């Protein structure tokens, strides 16, 4: 019977769903519950059709057990739950209610399902056993082939490898050694068999190697890599990278050590050279700054009596390079290094070339160490002796003696460098100890100098104007431009601008500002503008001045430019004075001291006026009874007799004004006469 009416079909689906729920947890089947239910519904159809068939036959149901096994419903409880679900469902199914002898047929059906299931399970087990046998046989054959190939491959690698290979027993004796290892140490391969491997290494490495092999043999580490020295037959070392591992037998017990060695002698030599180059100066062979800093830090941290740093700068070394050539200069630097090392050979000390013509010496002081003045004398005495080419040198030295324990190496080196710079300002062959107060002032000045470009860009700098007064008549002839930046006056601003290389930019800006302000009321008078040394040497000065006058409208007759006397003496910027005069701009000299060479400049440059150096005014004020007064008075008279006007700066007292008035200088400016003021306060002038 094949009843496909809706009620019967629904009941068969209920049986299939109940069957699915019963067997689903008993075995893993790669199907979803819906797919399992659909599969079991087909089996329910087979069983229900067989029960209703006439004549009744159980054979069609035999496939049910087989199909369950093929679908992997093979869990321990699968058959039991299948019989339970089917027995109850078939006996009480409305569809089968009228089937004659239903109970007997259900029992027969369940027996057929059980028999088919058991038979299929047995056949499946047989099939799996056959597959295992075939797999084992295949694996055995493959293993034999792999073993033969592996042995051949091992022999090929062992014999032809560029790496040295040694197989040793657990006592360290060589069982087999390849040709590469024998060639590496210059020995015959046959004589190595039976020898202890550690005997082939440098004796200094023997204990460490024994520790290595024990660690690998005990299983504490699987493999060790390290660098050691093999010894050739002639005693020469061969640097090798070793890889040591353990070879176990079939039972997993330690059997042999395998040692592989790669010859890295050339690499080791290259690395050694690179390490030396990284830490030493390539010319002199002395320690470089990096190694010096490391050693300095170590000595500073461990010294009992404190350390002393000597930072040397060779005096006028550029003359050697420029006059005799860099090859001679290089030989001198090498000789200087040798002499400095010989000087401290009895001390715990290090000499380094810190760069260019600068050297450093750090000494770990002891009771027998020379004092700082004695050491400085010894250094200059060592350098004073003529070199092979007859050149003798001297050094300017900055000394940091026993720096505080809390200082780091960077601070010590910075202090030494700063002290050397201060010593160079004093002169050649000078030395100075570190001065905390002077260093602090220098750092503050340098910090201010570093901020100057930003101050110029942000319009923090100002131009002020100080009246230039006719001392005889008391009238104002004009105004001299003065720079101001916060609490810094004109001279300090000019000095900072020169140090930072900003002098041209600051000077051009100040000239433009001053010319614009001067082109105001007639009462402003003449604009007196003092150039910095860098401005005085500027090849583009004339064009800058002319452009400024064109842009601001200031007449050339109302501008007087003063060039720096020192720059003119050096022969730099002489053309500027002449070309400015040719363009109708009066010129003069500033910071004039009155020496013979400076007096000669007055005639050579045909200047109109000069401003004395502030130091002249200051020295005269400090020595009221000095013979300098008479000398200066004669100098002023001589200059004025040639038609050149003399201006005096920085008058700060009535006594000074009275004296210079008696000397009959042309004009003066200073705080005693009138302070410098910003442009907006000039309206009443």
């Amino acid at each position: 019977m094949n009843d496909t009416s809706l009620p019967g079909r629904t009941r068969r689906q209920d049986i299939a769903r109940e069957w699915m729920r019963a067997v689903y947890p008993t075995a893993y089947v790669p199907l979803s519950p819906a797919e399992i239910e659909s599969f079991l519904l087909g089996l329910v159809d087979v069983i229900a059709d067989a029960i209703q068939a006439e004549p009744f036959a159980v054979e069609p149901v035999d496939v049910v057990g087989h199909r369950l096994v093929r679908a992997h419903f093979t869990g321990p409880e699968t058959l039991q739950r299948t019989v339970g679900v089917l027995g109850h469902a078939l006996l009480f199914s409305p569809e089968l209610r009228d089937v004659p002898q239903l109970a007997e047929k259900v029992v027969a059906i369940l027996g057929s399902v059980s028999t088919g299931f058991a038979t299929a399970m047995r056949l499946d087990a047989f099939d799996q056993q056959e597959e295992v046998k075939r797999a084992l046989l295949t694996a055995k054959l493959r293993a034999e082939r792999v073993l033969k190939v592996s042995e051949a491959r091992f022999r090929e690698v062992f014999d032809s490898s560029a790496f040295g290979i040694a197989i040793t027993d657990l006592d360290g004796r060589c069982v087999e050694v390849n040709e590469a290892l024998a060639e590496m140490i210059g020995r015959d391969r046959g004589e190595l068999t039976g020898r202890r491997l550690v005997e082939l290494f440098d004796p200094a490495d023997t204990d460490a190697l024994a520790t290595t092999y024990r660690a690998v043999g005990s299983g504490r580490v699987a493999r060790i890599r390290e660098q050691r020295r093999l010894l050739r037959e002639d005693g020469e070392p061969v640097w090798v990278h070793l890889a040591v591992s353990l070879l176990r037998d079939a039972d997993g017990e330690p059997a042999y050590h395998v040692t592989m060695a790669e010859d890295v002698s050339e690499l080791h030599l290259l690395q050694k050279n690179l390490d030396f180059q990284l830490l030493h100066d390539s010319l002199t062979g002395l320690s470089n700054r990096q190694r010096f800093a490391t050693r300095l830090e170590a000595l500073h941290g461990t010294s009992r009596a404190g350390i002393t740093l000597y930072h040397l700068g060779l005096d006028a070394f550029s003359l050697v390079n420029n006059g005799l050539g860099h090859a001679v200069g290089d030989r001198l630097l090498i000789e200087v290094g040798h002499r400095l090392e010989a000087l401290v050979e009895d001390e715990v000390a290090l000499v380094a070339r810190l760069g260019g013509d600068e050297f450093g010496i750090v000494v770990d002081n002891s009771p027998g160490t020379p004092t700082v003045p004695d050491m400085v004398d010894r250094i200059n005495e060592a350098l004073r002796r003529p070199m092979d080419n007859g050149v003798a040198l001297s050094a300017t030295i900055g000394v940091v003696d026993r720096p505080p324990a809390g200082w780091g190496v960077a601070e010590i080196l910075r202090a030494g460098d700063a002290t050397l710079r201060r010593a160079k300002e004093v002169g050649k062959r000078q030395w100075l100890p570190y001065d905390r107060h002077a260093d602090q002032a220098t750092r503050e000045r340098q910090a201010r100098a570093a901020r100057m470009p930003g101050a110029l860009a942000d319009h923090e700098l100002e131009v002020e104007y100080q009246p230039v007064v006719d001392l005889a008549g008391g009238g104002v002839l004009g105004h001299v431009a003065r720079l101001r930046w916060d609490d810094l006056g004109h001279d300090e601003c000019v000095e900072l601008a020169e140090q930072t290389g900003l002098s041209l930019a600051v000077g051009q800006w100040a000239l433009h500002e001053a010319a614009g302000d001067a082109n105001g009321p007639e009462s402003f008078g003449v604009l007196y503008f003092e150039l910095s040394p860098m401005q005085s040497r500027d090849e583009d000065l004339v064009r800058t001045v002319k452009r400024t006058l064109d842009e601001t409208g200031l007449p050339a007759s109302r501008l007087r430019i003063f060039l720096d006397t020192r720059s003119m003496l050096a022969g730099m910027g002489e053309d500027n004075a002449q070309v400015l005069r040719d363009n109708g701009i009066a010129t003069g000299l500033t910071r004039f001291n009155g020496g013979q060479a400076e007096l000669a400049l007055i005639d050579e440059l045909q200047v109109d006026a000069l401003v004395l150096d502030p130091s002249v005014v200051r020295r005269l004020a400090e020595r009221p009874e000095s013979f300098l007064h008479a000398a200066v008075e004669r100098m002023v008279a001589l200059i004025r007799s040639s038609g050149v006007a003399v201006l005096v700066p920085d008058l700060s007292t009535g006594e000074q004004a009275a004296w210079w008035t008696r000397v009959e200088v042309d004009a003066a400016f200073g705080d005693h006469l009138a302070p410098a003021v910003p442009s907006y306060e000039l309206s009443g002038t």
Side-chain angles (χ1 to χ4, degrees):
M1 178 180 181
N2 188 13
D3 185 0
T4 58
S5 62
L6 182 59
R9 192 67 186 164
T10 300
R11 179 54 187 159
R12 291 187 182 187
Q13 289 175 337
D14 292 341
I15 295 174
R17 184 173 297 110
E18 186 178 356
W19 192 1
M20 180 274 294
R21 291 173 178 168
V23 300
Y24 182 75
T26 65
Y28 171 74
V29 179
L31 298 173
S32 66
E35 290 173 329
I36 294 174
E37 182 179 332
S38 177
F39 168 74
L40 295 177
L41 179 59
L43 299 184
V44 171
D45 287 340
V46 171
I47 294 171
D49 291 346
I51 291 177
Q52 297 179 75
E54 291 295 344
F56 171 72
V58 78
E59 286 75 11
V61 184
D62 292 343
V63 300
V64 173
H66 290 277
R67 289 173 65 180
L68 284 172
V69 172
R70 282 201 302 272
H72 302 293
F73 288 96
T74 55
E77 299 180 7
T78 302
L79 179 61
Q80 178 183 352
R81 296 193 178 191
T82 294
V83 171
V85 169
L86 292 179
H88 181 273
L90 294 174
L91 287 175
F92 297 99
S93 174
E95 180 186 351
L96 304 177
R97 183 183 304 137
D98 298 328
V99 174
Q101 298 181 333
L102 177 61
E104 290 81 354
K105 292 180 179 180
V106 169
V107 171
I109 290 294
L110 295 179
S112 176
V113 170
S114 300
T115 301
F117 184 89
T119 301
M121 286 288 288
R122 186 169 62 255
L123 294 176
D124 185 63
F126 288 154
D127 290 343
Q128 291 183 19
Q129 290 176 2
E130 287 300 316
E131 289 181 7
V132 170
K133 289 179 181 179
R134 286 194 296 272
L136 289 174
L137 179 60
T138 300
K140 178 177 179 298
L141 295 175
R142 185 182 297 112
E144 291 174 349
R145 287 196 300 272
V146 169
L147 180 60
K148 291 179 180 179
V149 172
S150 177
E151 289 177 349
R153 186 179 299 138
F154 166 76
R155 183 53 54 189
E156 176 65 22
V157 171
F158 188 82
D159 291 336
S160 63
S161 174
F163 292 91
I165 304 175
I167 300 176
T168 56
D169 60 23
L170 298 182
D171 292 330
R173 298 189 179 277
C174 295
V175 176
E176 193 166 4
V177 176
N178 72 346
E179 189 64 31
L181 182 60
E183 291 180 357
M184 197 178 293
I185 57 177
R187 298 176 182 269
D188 183 77
R189 179 178 179 181
E191 72 173 88
L192 298 178
T193 303
R195 289 192 61 175
R196 290 178 57 81
L197 184 61
V198 294
E199 296 175 359
L200 306 178
F201 287 86
D202 190 299
D205 292 341
T206 300
D207 292 341
L209 280 170
T211 302
T212 294
Y213 282 101
R214 283 197 298 271
V216 174
S218 65
R220 293 199 304 272
V221 292
R223 182 179 290 101
I224 286 182
R225 299 180 184 275
E226 56 190 25
Q227 190 173 110
R228 295 294 175 191
R229 290 165 294 180
L230 284 166
L231 290 182
R232 295 178 56 84
E233 192 170 14
D234 56 9
E236 286 296 314
V238 180
W239 284 92
V240 293
H241 271 311
L242 292 183
V244 181
S245 57
L246 186 65
L247 189 64
R248 298 180 181 273
D249 60 19
D251 297 326
E253 295 297 322
Y256 302 99
H257 283 116
V258 178
T259 303
M260 299 185 69
E262 178 186 8
D263 187 348
V264 294
S265 297
E266 292 186 4
L267 182 62
H268 178 79
L269 180 61
L270 176 62
Q271 184 64 52
K272 186 176 180 180
N273 289 337
L274 288 176
D275 290 344
F276 184 86
Q277 292 174 17
L278 287 172
L279 298 175
H280 292 79
D281 175 56
S282 59
L283 175 64
T284 63
L286 297 174
S287 296
N288 60 12
R289 178 178 286 272
Q290 179 179 351
R291 186 166 187 263
F292 187 74
T294 301
R295 183 63 174 159
L296 174 64
E297 183 176 25
L299 290 176
H300 183 50
T302 58
S303 177
R304 293 184 177 181
I307 63 170
T308 302
L309 168 67
Y310 299 86
H311 192 154
L312 290 69
L314 300 181
D315 294 330
F317 187 74
S318 60
L319 297 179
V320 176
N321 278 336
N322 296 332
L324 301 178
H326 286 274
V328 174
D330 289 347
R331 291 199 298 273
L332 285 178
L333 291 174
I334 294 171
E335 179 62 21
V336 167
H338 290 162
R339 293 188 181 188
L340 293 178
E341 285 190 312
L343 186 69
V344 295
E345 62 182 355
D346 295 331
E347 302 289 337
V348 178
L350 181 69
V351 179
R353 184 185 178 198
L354 301 181
D357 59 1
E358 294 186 9
F359 294 80
I361 304 174
V362 58
V363 180
D364 186 0
N365 293 299
S366 66
T369 300
T371 63
V372 170
D374 286 344
M375 181 66 78
V376 169
D377 288 342
R378 293 186 184 189
I379 291 172
N380 274 309
E381 181 62 27
L383 299 180
R384 188 184 64 82
R385 298 194 310 272
M387 312 286 176
D388 293 341
N389 50 20
V391 177
L393 297 172
S394 63
T396 300
I397 307 172
V399 181
V400 182
D401 187 34
R402 294 172 173 82
W407 278 19
V409 63
E411 180 64 16
I412 298 174
L413 289 173
R414 191 209 61 77
D417 183 76
T419 306
L420 173 61
R421 306 303 155 209
R422 284 200 305 113
K424 285 186 174 183
E425 292 175 0
V426 176
K428 301 187 186 306
R429 195 171 177 171
Q430 302 294 318
W431 75 274
L432 286 178
Y434 173 76
D435 185 318
R436 181 170 60 85
H437 300 292
D439 183 45
Q440 182 64 29
T442 300
R443 294 183 73 174
E444 291 175 356
R445 185 172 65 254
Q446 291 174 343
R448 183 74 73 103
R451 294 198 300 271
M452 195 172 212
L456 177 62
D458 295 338
H459 308 290
E460 295 177 13
L461 271 69
E462 300 177 89
V463 180
E464 295 183 336
Y465 304 94
Q466 193 160 30
V468 177
V469 179
D470 176 2
L471 289 181
V476 175
L477 303 176
H479 291 79
V480 60
R482 305 275 87 184
L483 286 172
R484 177 162 296 280
W485 177 25
D486 294 338
D487 59 334
L488 297 185
H490 178 78
D491 291 340
E492 293 170 300
C493 288
V494 171
E495 182 182 355
L496 288 180
E498 287 282 311
Q499 290 178 354
T500 59
L502 203 64
S503 186
L504 285 181
V506 171
Q508 291 169 4
W509 166 82
L511 178 61
H512 194 280
E513 288 284 309
D517 291 335
N519 192 29
E522 287 291 332
S523 57
F524 186 97
V526 175
L527 171 61
Y528 296 83
F529 195 91
E530 296 178 286
L531 299 178
S532 69
M534 192 176 295
Q535 279 183 286
S536 301
R537 300 190 297 267
D538 182 18
E539 295 180 356
D540 204 31
L541 173 64
V542 175
R543 191 167 70 90
T544 298
V545 173
K546 291 179 64 178
R547 185 177 64 246
T548 300
L549 294 178
D550 292 340
E551 291 176 354
T552 61
L554 180 69
S557 60
R558 293 183 57 193
L559 174 64
R560 181 164 290 176
I561 293 288
F562 291 86
L563 298 120
D564 180 68
T565 302
R566 290 166 295 178
S567 298
M568 298 302 104
L569 282 174
M572 295 178 288
E574 291 179 341
D575 292 343
N576 285 335
Q578 183 61 47
V579 178
L580 285 170
R581 286 178 59 87
D582 293 344
N583 282 271
I585 302 170
T587 59
L589 294 173
T590 186
R591 294 190 176 275
F592 191 89
N593 278 288
Q596 292 296 324
E598 294 178 347
L599 289 171
L601 275 177
I602 297 175
D603 183 58
E604 291 176 14
L605 300 180
Q606 298 181 358
V607 296
D608 302 290
L610 58 83
V611 178
L612 296 180
D613 192 283
S615 64
V616 175
V617 180
R618 185 173 60 253
R619 285 199 298 269
L620 290 176
E622 292 171 350
R623 303 175 184 178
E625 304 301 328
S626 171
F627 73 92
L628 288 175
H629 288 70
V632 171
E633 187 172 354
R634 288 193 298 271
M635 176 191 72
V636 171
L638 177 64
I639 294 172
R640 294 188 72 245
S641 67
S642 64
V644 177
V646 177
L647 282 72
V648 180
D650 295 356
L651 292 188
S652 57
T653 66
E655 290 79 5
Q656 288 178 328
W659 191 86
W660 287 105
T661 300
R662 186 175 62 80
V663 175
E664 297 184 342
V665 296
D666 296 273
F669 56 91
D671 289 344
H672 170 71
L673 300 175
V677 295
S679 59
Y680 58 80
E681 294 187 18
L682 292 175
S683 58
T685 58

